[in-house]
Amino acid sequence: TVTLNGTTATKTYDGTTSLTGNQISISGLIGGQTLTYTGATANSANVGTGNYINAMTLANGTNGGLASNYALPALNTTTAPVSITPKSVSIAGVKTYDATTGLTGNQVTISGMVGSETLNYTNAAANDANVATANKYFSAITLADGTGLASNYALPSLTTASANNTVTINPLTVTLNGTTATKTYDGTTS
């Protein structure tokens, strides 16, 4: 029996501890043998340090790779680390012109979270306050915990407009109050 010397996992945050498909890399095998696995889970579903594979069953692979010939190392942060990367979200802003770049309240929509998780935000600002400026985007925003943890999510680039970072500023409708015009009839509209 050979104890594996390298079992690592990488996945994007998905709200679960499950490790499937090619998320786990198994190394330390003899020759060109491979192994597969089942029932693998991480100790935490969240992005952060100290994540590791806490359960896993080896299964037969290819090129003579028999699970019975190998043993898992102790499953801990050193021998079986898991790297969970934040899931990217999209941000969209819509507001009526007010001569400022700030966006607040329901002027901001954050989408792309896992399941029904929600996020809050602070300090949102567009790169420009004017309606006529093309390709406006968020130049600043800070994600905050909602029902989901902000640390599990990543913002798109805040340096350019993209499909995942847009801001729309609509014209302000003005109201004419008490404005009257008078003229003597002269047959024209001027």
Side-chain angles (χ1 to χ4, degrees):
T1 300
V2 174
T3 300
L4 300 173
N5 65 9
T7 303
T8 61
T10 303
K11 69 184 260 183
T12 299
Y13 173 74
D14 65 3
T16 73
T17 58
S18 296
L19 298 167
T20 59
N22 61 357
Q23 293 175 332
I24 293 180
S25 171
I26 302 170
S27 61
L29 301 168
I30 303 297
Q33 294 180 359
T34 67
L35 292 177
T36 61
Y37 63 92
T38 61
T41 59
N43 67 312
S44 172
N46 297 312
V47 173
T49 58
N51 291 334
Y52 61 94
I53 301 168
N54 69 346
M56 176 179 171
T57 301
L58 293 175
N60 294 341
T62 61
N63 300 325
L66 299 176
S68 60
N69 290 333
Y70 294 94
L72 286 170
L75 298 176
N76 58 46
T77 57
T78 302
T79 60
V82 174
S83 173
I84 301 174
T85 57
K87 184 178 188 313
S88 296
V89 295
S90 295
I91 49 179
V94 177
K95 72 181 240 175
T96 300
Y97 175 74
D98 64 2
T100 72
T101 59
L103 292 113
T104 60
N106 63 0
Q107 295 173 332
V108 176
T109 301
I110 305 169
S111 60
M113 285 80 71
V114 171
S116 62
E117 290 185 3
T118 61
L119 292 174
N120 296 316
Y121 71 93
T122 59
N123 305 318
N127 68 310
D128 190 278
N130 297 302
V131 173
T133 304
N135 299 317
K136 286 180 288 300
Y137 58 90
F138 285 88
S139 58
I141 187 171
T142 301
L143 295 178
D145 292 350
T147 60
L149 298 175
S151 59
N152 287 331
Y153 294 96
L155 289 165
S157 170
L158 299 179
T159 60
T160 187
S162 70
N164 297 322
N165 180 355
T166 62
V167 173
T168 301
I169 300 177
N170 295 314
L172 174 66
T173 302
V174 296
T175 303
L176 301 176
N177 292 324
T179 303
T180 58
T182 58
K183 76 176 224 171
T184 303
Y185 177 76
D186 64 2
T188 69
T189 58
S190 315

